[in-house]
Amino acid sequence: KMAEQTEKAFQKQKGVFLNKKKYFVSQGPKKEDRFHRNVGLGFKTPREAKEGTYIDKKCPFTGNVSIRGRILTGVVQSMKMKRTIVIRRDYLHYIKKYNRYEKRHKNLSAHISPCFRDAKI
């Protein structure tokens, strides 16, 4: 099965050769070639990344992106954009005059790979 072609430009994974020779009838069909990797830092590669057909160059498991720096956490607020989510990060800000904290938040846009299709708001 071919990869999902939803864009105007032909989508393919870097490092996967698509024009292999035809196989003989006696050999039978071979497994589809798909590039995926272990990103480390305790993150397991999702099954959808290994067996799926999506093409996403910004996916850390199947694309050309590395995870670096801090791992940010938050609550998903919106999933209306294509492959992008809005995350709300709550934090406390100290007011020295009153010796108290106030609640603040920031909204952060983040890329979400198609291998996380089970994400909910």
Side-chain angles (χ1 to χ4, degrees):
K1 186 181 174 193
M2 282 287 290
E4 294 173 6
Q5 297 295 331
T6 58
E7 308 295 327
K8 287 184 178 179
F10 182 74
Q11 304 291 305
K12 68 184 189 76
Q13 281 189 310
K14 192 174 181 181
V16 175
F17 185 66
L18 299 175
N19 295 325
K20 289 192 174 163
K21 301 286 185 197
K22 301 262 185 206
Y23 58 86
F24 292 107
V25 177
S26 61
Q27 291 176 341
K30 294 206 172 149
K31 175 174 108 46
E32 283 283 325
D33 284 336
R34 181 157 178 83
F35 170 76
H36 64 86
R37 67 166 162 233
N38 179 14
V39 297
L41 299 172
F43 293 105
K44 290 178 71 176
T45 305
R47 185 184 310 130
E48 182 71 23
K50 294 177 185 176
E51 301 168 1
T53 57
Y54 72 91
I55 304 290
D56 186 13
K57 67 179 184 179
K58 295 179 182 175
C59 174
F61 304 104
T62 62
N64 194 20
V65 164
S66 61
I67 297 178
R68 25 182 210 94
R70 252 185 217 177
I71 306 299
L72 303 176
T73 58
V75 179
V76 177
Q77 253 196 322
S78 151
M79 293 180 67
K80 294 178 183 175
M81 292 178 274
K82 181 180 178 185
R83 295 189 181 180
T84 305
I85 59 173
V86 178
I87 296 174
R88 179 185 171 111
R89 301 195 68 227
D90 294 314
Y91 60 95
L92 297 174
H93 179 250
Y94 182 68
I95 309 294
K96 191 163 46 170
K97 178 180 177 182
Y98 298 111
N99 195 23
R100 288 189 176 23
Y101 291 91
E102 68 180 2
K103 285 185 182 177
R104 289 190 177 182
H105 80 277
K106 290 272 195 240
N107 284 344
L108 178 77
S109 293
H111 180 80
I112 183 166
S113 175
C115 66
F116 298 117
R117 287 188 178 158
D118 57 347
K120 298 270 190 279
I121 295 179

